[in-house]
Each structure stands twice: as structure tokens, then as C-alpha cells.
Amino acid sequence: MVTAITKTAPSERLQQADLSKKAKKFEEAIVTYRNILAQPSNDEETIKEQEYALSQLGEVYRDLHLSRELAELIRSSRPFMLTIAKAKTAKLIRTLVDYFSDIPNCLPLQIEICKENIEWCIQEKRLFLKQALETRLVALYLENKMYHESLNLIAQLLKELKRLDDKMVLVEVQLLESRVCHALRNLPKARAALTSARTSANSIYCPPLLQASLDMQSGILHAEDKDYKTAYSYFFETFEGFSSQEDPKAVLALKYMLLCKIMLNMTDDVHSIVGGKVALRYAGSEIEAMKAVAQAHKNRNLQEFETALATYTKGKLKERYDRQDAHDEQ
């Protein structure tokens, strides 16, 4: 009888925490999740509940933009990570690290946590998780414009991955190398890295999002060569890939498609593309900006173009999104 109560009590608390989270009673949810994580991991059922509580608590910190608390959660959960399967550990850590992406102004902290986890992986001999985190670190370095650090880590990763013949991660790293070289304006090396990534991708099953990212980079490099017709075809493939997976980067691919049409003096096509069934889902200020630029180009009117630039700056767009979010909450 006592044993049964011991096993069901955490489940009831977990349900209560979830209800508090849905009701936006975040303080109650945090306390309950922490209590579940604080209890001893005596049996399999408790461990499963703690895995769930860990990811849910990370979500709460992400939604509240509590980057420091999320960082401390990752650090304090490492002893627990040693008690569960390596595959589950890898999934949990990667998920928690990815939560930082939705928190603004925490890139340096995200880099710091990534480095700490890589050191932990080396100590615990978790090779595959280490490589996954190093790949993530390369992307963070690129985002933070730390190109020298990116290239050093890429060179180290490529040696390891080619030796282990891990094609999936190899494709990701080669794609990142292409993006870093493009950022450094080393276009020949960017093309060479992208060719290597596509060659590696041809020998494995390439997930839709990764394939869309490869197409995006191909489109960008063709646009650099002023081959806007080919670039458009790649961006179209990218848009279809991202939109099929409901990835927010689909909007960026759509904007690139419209810019290619503008550069090809085919501004009439902009309105027909925007009016398409799939593109209508992404209607908003960013697409309105593209339409304004297309109209200015069609009219050959510099004043219209400058007005569009002034109207659709990042600050103005942010204000519009904030107002829209406030309206949605009401």
C-alpha cells in the first residue's frame, strides 16, 4: 500500500505542475518541477518523471527568458544525466541547449554553456554528444561573428568525422564551413565546402530541413554570382522544404525568392508569388516590405525605395510585431 502511494504521488505532482504551467502560474510550476527533480532516483518510474520534469522546467525558463536559471539547471542536472541512458542524455542536453535560441541577448552565455558541456562530454567520454555540441558551438561562433574560432573548430571536427565516417554530422559541419567562408567573403572556399557537403549528403538519407539548408546556401552563392535565375530555383526548393516542416526560416527563403524576381526585372511575378496559396500563410510586414521594394523598382522611383527602407526597418518591424503580440494576448 505504501509502495503504491510512493509511485503515484510524483505523477499527481507532475500533472499539477503541467496544469500550473498551462495556466501560466509559472512560480507554482517551477517549485513542483524542482521538488520532483530533488527527490532520489530510486526506480525507473521516478527517473522517467524526472526526465520529463527536467525538459518542462527548461521550457518554463525559456518562456520566461530566464537564461541564468536555464544555465544553472543544465549544470545541476549533470549527476542525474549519468543515471540515464546515453541516448536520452544526448537528447535532453541538446534540447536544453537549444532552448537558449528563443531567449534574446544570451549568446555569450549559450557559448559558455556549450563549452562547459563539451568539457563534461570529454570527461565522461561521450564522443557523439561532444561532436553534436561542437557542431552547435560552430553555429554559435558564426552567429557571434567569431569566424577564426569557427574555422579552428571546423578543422578539428572534420578530421574526427572523416575518421569516424559520420556522414550526417559531416554534412552539417561542411555546410557551416561554407557559411563561415561566405561571411569572410572567401567565395571559392565557400563553394568548395558546399560541394563537399552535397557530395556527403548524396550518400545518406538527408532530412528535409538539412536539404533545405543546403539549397538555401546554394541559392545564396548563385546570387553572389548574379545568377538570379538559378538562385531562384534553389530558393524555391528551400521554401518548399522549410514550409513543409513549418520551419520559420521559410519566410527568409520566400523573401530571397522575391528579391531574385526583382533583380531579374520580373516585378509582376512578385504579386503572383505572394498571392499563392502557400505564400499567403507568411503574409506580414516582411512580405509587405518586399512588395514595396518591387513596386519602387517597377516605377524606377528612388524616393519610393527610400520610403520603403524607412518604413520597414528592423525597429519598425519589431514595434509592429510587439503590437500584434499584445493584440493576440488580449
Side-chain angles (χ1 to χ4, degrees), residues 171-206:
V171 172
E172 292 180 33
V173 174
Q174 288 169 330
L175 174 58
L176 283 167
E177 183 183 17
S178 178
R179 290 175 58 199
V180 173
C181 292
H182 174 250
L184 290 168
R185 310 304 300 160
N186 189 342
L187 298 183
K189 200 163 183 180
R191 291 189 199 95
L194 182 61
T195 302
S196 299
R198 284 196 167 278
T199 303
S200 301
N202 286 338
S203 60
I204 57 167
Y205 165 72
C206 194

PDB file of all heavy atoms in Angstrom, residues 171-206:
ATOM      1  N   VAL A 171      27.992  16.505 -43.022  1.00  0.00           N
ATOM      2  CA  VAL A 171      27.256  17.412 -43.918  1.00  0.00           C
ATOM      3  C   VAL A 171      26.986  18.739 -43.199  1.00  0.00           C
ATOM      4  O   VAL A 171      27.191  19.818 -43.765  1.00  0.00           O
ATOM      5  CB  VAL A 171      25.923  16.778 -44.386  1.00  0.00           C
ATOM      6  CG1 VAL A 171      25.087  17.791 -45.159  1.00  0.00           C
ATOM      7  CG2 VAL A 171      26.181  15.558 -45.252  1.00  0.00           C
ATOM      8  N   GLU A 172      26.539  18.657 -41.946  1.00  0.00           N
ATOM      9  CA  GLU A 172      26.240  19.871 -41.174  1.00  0.00           C
ATOM     10  C   GLU A 172      27.473  20.747 -41.004  1.00  0.00           C
ATOM     11  O   GLU A 172      27.405  21.972 -41.157  1.00  0.00           O
ATOM     12  CB  GLU A 172      25.680  19.497 -39.800  1.00  0.00           C
ATOM     13  CG  GLU A 172      24.306  18.851 -39.832  1.00  0.00           C
ATOM     14  CD  GLU A 172      23.798  18.505 -38.441  1.00  0.00           C
ATOM     15  OE1 GLU A 172      24.115  19.251 -37.498  1.00  0.00           O
ATOM     16  OE2 GLU A 172      23.109  17.484 -38.298  1.00  0.00           O
ATOM     17  N   VAL A 173      28.606  20.104 -40.691  1.00  0.00           N
ATOM     18  CA  VAL A 173      29.845  20.865 -40.453  1.00  0.00           C
ATOM     19  C   VAL A 173      30.356  21.483 -41.755  1.00  0.00           C
ATOM     20  O   VAL A 173      30.795  22.643 -41.777  1.00  0.00           O
ATOM     21  CB  VAL A 173      30.923  19.958 -39.817  1.00  0.00           C
ATOM     22  CG1 VAL A 173      32.250  20.698 -39.704  1.00  0.00           C
ATOM     23  CG2 VAL A 173      30.477  19.488 -38.441  1.00  0.00           C
ATOM     24  N   GLN A 174      30.292  20.734 -42.866  1.00  0.00           N
ATOM     25  CA  GLN A 174      30.733  21.278 -44.153  1.00  0.00           C
ATOM     26  C   GLN A 174      29.837  22.434 -44.603  1.00  0.00           C
ATOM     27  O   GLN A 174      30.325  23.409 -45.194  1.00  0.00           O
ATOM     28  CB  GLN A 174      30.754  20.167 -45.205  1.00  0.00           C
ATOM     29  CG  GLN A 174      31.893  19.175 -44.992  1.00  0.00           C
ATOM     30  CD  GLN A 174      31.781  17.930 -45.856  1.00  0.00           C
ATOM     31  OE1 GLN A 174      30.681  17.485 -46.208  1.00  0.00           O
ATOM     32  NE2 GLN A 174      32.915  17.335 -46.191  1.00  0.00           N
ATOM     33  N   LEU A 175      28.545  22.332 -44.311  1.00  0.00           N
ATOM     34  CA  LEU A 175      27.627  23.437 -44.629  1.00  0.00           C
ATOM     35  C   LEU A 175      27.979  24.668 -43.792  1.00  0.00           C
ATOM     36  O   LEU A 175      27.994  25.795 -44.311  1.00  0.00           O
ATOM     37  CB  LEU A 175      26.184  23.002 -44.360  1.00  0.00           C
ATOM     38  CG  LEU A 175      25.098  24.068 -44.512  1.00  0.00           C
ATOM     39  CD1 LEU A 175      25.097  24.659 -45.914  1.00  0.00           C
ATOM     40  CD2 LEU A 175      23.721  23.489 -44.181  1.00  0.00           C
ATOM     41  N   LEU A 176      28.281  24.451 -42.509  1.00  0.00           N
ATOM     42  CA  LEU A 176      28.694  25.570 -41.644  1.00  0.00           C
ATOM     43  C   LEU A 176      29.999  26.187 -42.139  1.00  0.00           C
ATOM     44  O   LEU A 176      30.164  27.413 -42.101  1.00  0.00           O
ATOM     45  CB  LEU A 176      28.853  25.086 -40.200  1.00  0.00           C
ATOM     46  CG  LEU A 176      27.553  24.875 -39.418  1.00  0.00           C
ATOM     47  CD1 LEU A 176      27.820  24.096 -38.141  1.00  0.00           C
ATOM     48  CD2 LEU A 176      26.882  26.205 -39.087  1.00  0.00           C
ATOM     49  N   GLU A 177      30.919  25.338 -42.610  1.00  0.00           N
ATOM     50  CA  GLU A 177      32.183  25.851 -43.161  1.00  0.00           C
ATOM     51  C   GLU A 177      31.910  26.759 -44.359  1.00  0.00           C
ATOM     52  O   GLU A 177      32.520  27.826 -44.503  1.00  0.00           O
ATOM     53  CB  GLU A 177      33.081  24.681 -43.573  1.00  0.00           C
ATOM     54  CG  GLU A 177      34.440  25.139 -44.087  1.00  0.00           C
ATOM     55  CD  GLU A 177      35.309  23.993 -44.577  1.00  0.00           C
ATOM     56  OE1 GLU A 177      34.771  22.890 -44.829  1.00  0.00           O
ATOM     57  OE2 GLU A 177      36.544  24.199 -44.727  1.00  0.00           O
ATOM     58  N   SER A 178      30.971  26.352 -45.209  1.00  0.00           N
ATOM     59  CA  SER A 178      30.605  27.170 -46.369  1.00  0.00           C
ATOM     60  C   SER A 178      30.041  28.518 -45.936  1.00  0.00           C
ATOM     61  O   SER A 178      30.376  29.565 -46.494  1.00  0.00           O
ATOM     62  CB  SER A 178      29.583  26.418 -47.231  1.00  0.00           C
ATOM     63  OG  SER A 178      29.185  27.212 -48.335  1.00  0.00           O
ATOM     64  N   ARG A 179      29.209  28.489 -44.892  1.00  0.00           N
ATOM     65  CA  ARG A 179      28.602  29.729 -44.405  1.00  0.00           C
ATOM     66  C   ARG A 179      29.646  30.661 -43.773  1.00  0.00           C
ATOM     67  O   ARG A 179      29.593  31.882 -43.955  1.00  0.00           O
ATOM     68  CB  ARG A 179      27.502  29.403 -43.397  1.00  0.00           C
ATOM     69  CG  ARG A 179      26.269  28.747 -44.033  1.00  0.00           C
ATOM     70  CD  ARG A 179      25.258  28.343 -42.988  1.00  0.00           C
ATOM     71  NE  ARG A 179      24.817  29.480 -42.188  1.00  0.00           N
ATOM     72  CZ  ARG A 179      24.237  29.376 -40.997  1.00  0.00           C
ATOM     73  NH1 ARG A 179      24.025  28.192 -40.453  1.00  0.00           N
ATOM     74  NH2 ARG A 179      23.860  30.454 -40.343  1.00  0.00           N
ATOM     75  N   VAL A 180      30.593  30.076 -43.044  1.00  0.00           N
ATOM     76  CA  VAL A 180      31.660  30.888 -42.428  1.00  0.00           C
ATOM     77  C   VAL A 180      32.529  31.523 -43.515  1.00  0.00           C
ATOM     78  O   VAL A 180      32.840  32.723 -43.450  1.00  0.00           O
ATOM     79  CB  VAL A 180      32.530  30.036 -41.475  1.00  0.00           C
ATOM     80  CG1 VAL A 180      33.741  30.845 -40.986  1.00  0.00           C
ATOM     81  CG2 VAL A 180      31.718  29.559 -40.278  1.00  0.00           C
ATOM     82  N   CYS A 181      32.905  30.739 -44.512  1.00  0.00           N
ATOM     83  CA  CYS A 181      33.742  31.262 -45.612  1.00  0.00           C
ATOM     84  C   CYS A 181      33.001  32.334 -46.406  1.00  0.00           C
ATOM     85  O   CYS A 181      33.604  33.316 -46.846  1.00  0.00           O
ATOM     86  CB  CYS A 181      34.171  30.121 -46.539  1.00  0.00           C
ATOM     87  SG  CYS A 181      35.323  28.966 -45.773  1.00  0.00           S
ATOM     88  N   HIS A 182      31.700  32.148 -46.564  1.00  0.00           N
ATOM     89  CA  HIS A 182      30.899  33.177 -47.247  1.00  0.00           C
ATOM     90  C   HIS A 182      30.879  34.462 -46.434  1.00  0.00           C
ATOM     91  O   HIS A 182      30.998  35.564 -46.986  1.00  0.00           O
ATOM     92  CB  HIS A 182      29.468  32.669 -47.472  1.00  0.00           C
ATOM     93  CG  HIS A 182      28.549  33.707 -48.032  1.00  0.00           C
ATOM     94  ND1 HIS A 182      27.521  34.264 -47.293  1.00  0.00           N
ATOM     95  CD2 HIS A 182      28.510  34.317 -49.249  1.00  0.00           C
ATOM     96  CE1 HIS A 182      26.888  35.160 -48.046  1.00  0.00           C
ATOM     97  NE2 HIS A 182      27.462  35.211 -49.227  1.00  0.00           N
ATOM     98  N   ALA A 183      30.758  34.340 -45.120  1.00  0.00           N
ATOM     99  CA  ALA A 183      30.768  35.519 -44.243  1.00  0.00           C
ATOM    100  C   ALA A 183      32.107  36.249 -44.324  1.00  0.00           C
ATOM    101  O   ALA A 183      32.162  37.481 -44.201  1.00  0.00           O
ATOM    102  CB  ALA A 183      30.475  35.105 -42.803  1.00  0.00           C
ATOM    103  N   LEU A 184      33.182  35.484 -44.553  1.00  0.00           N
ATOM    104  CA  LEU A 184      34.524  36.069 -44.686  1.00  0.00           C
ATOM    105  C   LEU A 184      34.812  36.519 -46.114  1.00  0.00           C
ATOM    106  O   LEU A 184      35.928  36.954 -46.413  1.00  0.00           O
ATOM    107  CB  LEU A 184      35.588  35.043 -44.244  1.00  0.00           C
ATOM    108  CG  LEU A 184      35.623  34.744 -42.739  1.00  0.00           C
ATOM    109  CD1 LEU A 184      36.495  33.522 -42.464  1.00  0.00           C
ATOM    110  CD2 LEU A 184      36.123  35.942 -41.957  1.00  0.00           C
ATOM    111  N   ARG A 185      33.794  36.367 -47.002  1.00  0.00           N
ATOM    112  CA  ARG A 185      33.896  36.746 -48.419  1.00  0.00           C
ATOM    113  C   ARG A 185      34.913  35.903 -49.183  1.00  0.00           C
ATOM    114  O   ARG A 185      35.441  36.329 -50.212  1.00  0.00           O
ATOM    115  CB  ARG A 185      34.224  38.239 -48.593  1.00  0.00           C
ATOM    116  CG  ARG A 185      33.346  39.181 -47.816  1.00  0.00           C
ATOM    117  CD  ARG A 185      31.866  38.988 -48.143  1.00  0.00           C
ATOM    118  NE  ARG A 185      31.562  39.209 -49.554  1.00  0.00           N
ATOM    119  CZ  ARG A 185      30.473  38.747 -50.176  1.00  0.00           C
ATOM    120  NH1 ARG A 185      29.598  38.013 -49.503  1.00  0.00           N
ATOM    121  NH2 ARG A 185      30.271  39.006 -51.448  1.00  0.00           N
ATOM    122  N   ASN A 186      35.187  34.716 -48.686  1.00  0.00           N
ATOM    123  CA  ASN A 186      36.046  33.771 -49.405  1.00  0.00           C
ATOM    124  C   ASN A 186      35.127  32.843 -50.208  1.00  0.00           C
ATOM    125  O   ASN A 186      34.864  31.699 -49.840  1.00  0.00           O
ATOM    126  CB  ASN A 186      36.899  32.974 -48.408  1.00  0.00           C
ATOM    127  CG  ASN A 186      37.967  32.138 -49.107  1.00  0.00           C
ATOM    128  OD1 ASN A 186      37.885  31.879 -50.303  1.00  0.00           O
ATOM    129  ND2 ASN A 186      38.975  31.730 -48.352  1.00  0.00           N
ATOM    130  N   LEU A 187      34.639  33.359 -51.348  1.00  0.00           N
ATOM    131  CA  LEU A 187      33.605  32.652 -52.117  1.00  0.00           C
ATOM    132  C   LEU A 187      34.091  31.342 -52.730  1.00  0.00           C
ATOM    133  O   LEU A 187      33.342  30.349 -52.732  1.00  0.00           O
ATOM    134  CB  LEU A 187      33.014  33.577 -53.182  1.00  0.00           C
ATOM    135  CG  LEU A 187      32.298  34.824 -52.644  1.00  0.00           C
ATOM    136  CD1 LEU A 187      31.681  35.623 -53.782  1.00  0.00           C
ATOM    137  CD2 LEU A 187      31.226  34.449 -51.634  1.00  0.00           C
ATOM    138  N   PRO A 188      35.333  31.282 -53.259  1.00  0.00           N
ATOM    139  CA  PRO A 188      35.793  29.985 -53.807  1.00  0.00           C
ATOM    140  C   PRO A 188      35.793  28.874 -52.756  1.00  0.00           C
ATOM    141  O   PRO A 188      35.357  27.751 -53.032  1.00  0.00           O
ATOM    142  CB  PRO A 188      37.217  30.298 -54.289  1.00  0.00           C
ATOM    143  CG  PRO A 188      37.214  31.761 -54.560  1.00  0.00           C
ATOM    144  CD  PRO A 188      36.305  32.349 -53.525  1.00  0.00           C
ATOM    145  N   LYS A 189      36.241  29.191 -51.541  1.00  0.00           N
ATOM    146  CA  LYS A 189      36.268  28.182 -50.485  1.00  0.00           C
ATOM    147  C   LYS A 189      34.851  27.853 -50.013  1.00  0.00           C
ATOM    148  O   LYS A 189      34.558  26.710 -49.640  1.00  0.00           O
ATOM    149  CB  LYS A 189      37.116  28.672 -49.309  1.00  0.00           C
ATOM    150  CG  LYS A 189      37.593  27.538 -48.409  1.00  0.00           C
ATOM    151  CD  LYS A 189      38.731  27.959 -47.514  1.00  0.00           C
ATOM    152  CE  LYS A 189      39.223  26.768 -46.698  1.00  0.00           C
ATOM    153  NZ  LYS A 189      40.335  27.138 -45.796  1.00  0.00           N
ATOM    154  N   ALA A 190      33.968  28.857 -50.021  1.00  0.00           N
ATOM    155  CA  ALA A 190      32.570  28.627 -49.641  1.00  0.00           C
ATOM    156  C   ALA A 190      31.916  27.646 -50.614  1.00  0.00           C
ATOM    157  O   ALA A 190      31.187  26.742 -50.203  1.00  0.00           O
ATOM    158  CB  ALA A 190      31.809  29.948 -49.627  1.00  0.00           C
ATOM    159  N   ARG A 191      32.203  27.813 -51.914  1.00  0.00           N
ATOM    160  CA  ARG A 191      31.644  26.901 -52.926  1.00  0.00           C
ATOM    161  C   ARG A 191      32.212  25.499 -52.769  1.00  0.00           C
ATOM    162  O   ARG A 191      31.498  24.504 -52.898  1.00  0.00           O
ATOM    163  CB  ARG A 191      31.934  27.428 -54.334  1.00  0.00           C
ATOM    164  CG  ARG A 191      31.178  28.699 -54.686  1.00  0.00           C
ATOM    165  CD  ARG A 191      31.335  29.061 -56.148  1.00  0.00           C
ATOM    166  NE  ARG A 191      31.000  30.461 -56.364  1.00  0.00           N
ATOM    167  CZ  ARG A 191      31.873  31.461 -56.399  1.00  0.00           C
ATOM    168  NH1 ARG A 191      33.169  31.217 -56.223  1.00  0.00           N
ATOM    169  NH2 ARG A 191      31.482  32.702 -56.592  1.00  0.00           N
ATOM    170  N   ALA A 192      33.515  25.420 -52.498  1.00  0.00           N
ATOM    171  CA  ALA A 192      34.172  24.107 -52.353  1.00  0.00           C
ATOM    172  C   ALA A 192      33.589  23.351 -51.159  1.00  0.00           C
ATOM    173  O   ALA A 192      33.311  22.143 -51.244  1.00  0.00           O
ATOM    174  CB  ALA A 192      35.675  24.299 -52.173  1.00  0.00           C
ATOM    175  N   ALA A 193      33.376  24.055 -50.043  1.00  0.00           N
ATOM    176  CA  ALA A 193      32.812  23.417 -48.842  1.00  0.00           C
ATOM    177  C   ALA A 193      31.376  22.961 -49.099  1.00  0.00           C
ATOM    178  O   ALA A 193      30.970  21.874 -48.657  1.00  0.00           O
ATOM    179  CB  ALA A 193      32.853  24.398 -47.667  1.00  0.00           C
ATOM    180  N   LEU A 194      30.621  23.767 -49.848  1.00  0.00           N
ATOM    181  CA  LEU A 194      29.238  23.388 -50.164  1.00  0.00           C
ATOM    182  C   LEU A 194      29.196  22.173 -51.088  1.00  0.00           C
ATOM    183  O   LEU A 194      28.361  21.275 -50.914  1.00  0.00           O
ATOM    184  CB  LEU A 194      28.505  24.562 -50.817  1.00  0.00           C
ATOM    185  CG  LEU A 194      27.040  24.312 -51.164  1.00  0.00           C
ATOM    186  CD1 LEU A 194      26.217  23.992 -49.917  1.00  0.00           C
ATOM    187  CD2 LEU A 194      26.444  25.510 -51.901  1.00  0.00           C
ATOM    188  N   THR A 195      30.108  22.121 -52.051  1.00  0.00           N
ATOM    189  CA  THR A 195      30.198  20.953 -52.935  1.00  0.00           C
ATOM    190  C   THR A 195      30.505  19.689 -52.137  1.00  0.00           C
ATOM    191  O   THR A 195      29.912  18.631 -52.366  1.00  0.00           O
ATOM    192  CB  THR A 195      31.290  21.175 -54.016  1.00  0.00           C
ATOM    193  OG1 THR A 195      30.970  22.354 -54.764  1.00  0.00           O
ATOM    194  CG2 THR A 195      31.386  19.988 -54.954  1.00  0.00           C
ATOM    195  N   SER A 196      31.423  19.814 -51.164  1.00  0.00           N
ATOM    196  CA  SER A 196      31.757  18.673 -50.296  1.00  0.00           C
ATOM    197  C   SER A 196      30.537  18.239 -49.487  1.00  0.00           C
ATOM    198  O   SER A 196      30.279  17.043 -49.323  1.00  0.00           O
ATOM    199  CB  SER A 196      32.900  19.046 -49.343  1.00  0.00           C
ATOM    200  OG  SER A 196      34.063  19.379 -50.052  1.00  0.00           O
ATOM    201  N   ALA A 197      29.778  19.219 -48.980  1.00  0.00           N
ATOM    202  CA  ALA A 197      28.578  18.913 -48.195  1.00  0.00           C
ATOM    203  C   ALA A 197      27.543  18.183 -49.041  1.00  0.00           C
ATOM    204  O   ALA A 197      26.934  17.201 -48.594  1.00  0.00           O
ATOM    205  CB  ALA A 197      27.985  20.203 -47.627  1.00  0.00           C
ATOM    206  N   ARG A 198      27.349  18.641 -50.280  1.00  0.00           N
ATOM    207  CA  ARG A 198      26.372  17.999 -51.171  1.00  0.00           C
ATOM    208  C   ARG A 198      26.818  16.581 -51.552  1.00  0.00           C
ATOM    209  O   ARG A 198      25.992  15.661 -51.643  1.00  0.00           O
ATOM    210  CB  ARG A 198      26.168  18.831 -52.437  1.00  0.00           C
ATOM    211  CG  ARG A 198      25.311  20.073 -52.192  1.00  0.00           C
ATOM    212  CD  ARG A 198      24.797  20.654 -53.501  1.00  0.00           C
ATOM    213  NE  ARG A 198      23.760  21.635 -53.265  1.00  0.00           N
ATOM    214  CZ  ARG A 198      22.483  21.362 -53.044  1.00  0.00           C
ATOM    215  NH1 ARG A 198      22.070  20.108 -53.001  1.00  0.00           N
ATOM    216  NH2 ARG A 198      21.599  22.324 -52.850  1.00  0.00           N
ATOM    217  N   THR A 199      28.121  16.399 -51.745  1.00  0.00           N
ATOM    218  CA  THR A 199      28.653  15.068 -52.066  1.00  0.00           C
ATOM    219  C   THR A 199      28.419  14.111 -50.904  1.00  0.00           C
ATOM    220  O   THR A 199      28.001  12.967 -51.099  1.00  0.00           O
ATOM    221  CB  THR A 199      30.166  15.157 -52.382  1.00  0.00           C
ATOM    222  OG1 THR A 199      30.373  16.078 -53.447  1.00  0.00           O
ATOM    223  CG2 THR A 199      30.725  13.796 -52.777  1.00  0.00           C
ATOM    224  N   SER A 200      28.687  14.579 -49.688  1.00  0.00           N
ATOM    225  CA  SER A 200      28.452  13.756 -48.494  1.00  0.00           C
ATOM    226  C   SER A 200      26.970  13.449 -48.333  1.00  0.00           C
ATOM    227  O   SER A 200      26.578  12.338 -47.960  1.00  0.00           O
ATOM    228  CB  SER A 200      28.969  14.474 -47.236  1.00  0.00           C
ATOM    229  OG  SER A 200      30.346  14.753 -47.337  1.00  0.00           O
ATOM    230  N   ALA A 201      26.111  14.444 -48.625  1.00  0.00           N
ATOM    231  CA  ALA A 201      24.660  14.274 -48.463  1.00  0.00           C
ATOM    232  C   ALA A 201      24.094  13.263 -49.458  1.00  0.00           C
ATOM    233  O   ALA A 201      23.099  12.587 -49.163  1.00  0.00           O
ATOM    234  CB  ALA A 201      23.955  15.619 -48.626  1.00  0.00           C
ATOM    235  N   ASN A 202      24.720  13.141 -50.625  1.00  0.00           N
ATOM    236  CA  ASN A 202      24.223  12.218 -51.659  1.00  0.00           C
ATOM    237  C   ASN A 202      24.343  10.755 -51.251  1.00  0.00           C
ATOM    238  O   ASN A 202      23.649   9.900 -51.798  1.00  0.00           O
ATOM    239  CB  ASN A 202      24.973  12.442 -52.977  1.00  0.00           C
ATOM    240  CG  ASN A 202      24.544  13.727 -53.665  1.00  0.00           C
ATOM    241  OD1 ASN A 202      23.445  14.241 -53.414  1.00  0.00           O
ATOM    242  ND2 ASN A 202      25.399  14.256 -54.521  1.00  0.00           N
ATOM    243  N   SER A 203      25.226  10.470 -50.293  1.00  0.00           N
ATOM    244  CA  SER A 203      25.466   9.068 -49.908  1.00  0.00           C
ATOM    245  C   SER A 203      24.647   8.632 -48.695  1.00  0.00           C
ATOM    246  O   SER A 203      24.785   7.517 -48.218  1.00  0.00           O
ATOM    247  CB  SER A 203      26.955   8.859 -49.615  1.00  0.00           C
ATOM    248  OG  SER A 203      27.378   9.703 -48.557  1.00  0.00           O
ATOM    249  N   ILE A 204      23.791   9.545 -48.179  1.00  0.00           N
ATOM    250  CA  ILE A 204      22.970   9.218 -47.000  1.00  0.00           C
ATOM    251  C   ILE A 204      21.555   9.746 -47.221  1.00  0.00           C
ATOM    252  O   ILE A 204      21.292  10.468 -48.183  1.00  0.00           O
ATOM    253  CB  ILE A 204      23.540   9.850 -45.705  1.00  0.00           C
ATOM    254  CG1 ILE A 204      23.660  11.382 -45.868  1.00  0.00           C
ATOM    255  CG2 ILE A 204      24.853   9.231 -45.309  1.00  0.00           C
ATOM    256  CD1 ILE A 204      23.905  12.119 -44.578  1.00  0.00           C
ATOM    257  N   TYR A 205      20.651   9.373 -46.292  1.00  0.00           N
ATOM    258  CA  TYR A 205      19.333   9.997 -46.290  1.00  0.00           C
ATOM    259  C   TYR A 205      19.491  11.377 -45.659  1.00  0.00           C
ATOM    260  O   TYR A 205      19.944  11.505 -44.523  1.00  0.00           O
ATOM    261  CB  TYR A 205      18.325   9.172 -45.481  1.00  0.00           C
ATOM    262  CG  TYR A 205      17.063   9.956 -45.168  1.00  0.00           C
ATOM    263  CD1 TYR A 205      16.143  10.228 -46.177  1.00  0.00           C
ATOM    264  CD2 TYR A 205      16.837  10.461 -43.890  1.00  0.00           C
ATOM    265  CE1 TYR A 205      14.998  10.975 -45.907  1.00  0.00           C
ATOM    266  CE2 TYR A 205      15.695  11.209 -43.610  1.00  0.00           C
ATOM    267  CZ  TYR A 205      14.780  11.459 -44.629  1.00  0.00           C
ATOM    268  OH  TYR A 205      13.660  12.210 -44.366  1.00  0.00           O
ATOM    269  N   CYS A 206      19.122  12.407 -46.405  1.00  0.00           N
ATOM    270  CA  CYS A 206      19.268  13.775 -45.917  1.00  0.00           C
ATOM    271  C   CYS A 206      17.909  14.284 -45.438  1.00  0.00           C
ATOM    272  O   CYS A 206      16.969  14.376 -46.237  1.00  0.00           O
ATOM    273  CB  CYS A 206      19.802  14.668 -47.046  1.00  0.00           C
ATOM    274  SG  CYS A 206      20.397  16.258 -46.482  1.00  0.00           S
TER     275      CYS A 206
END
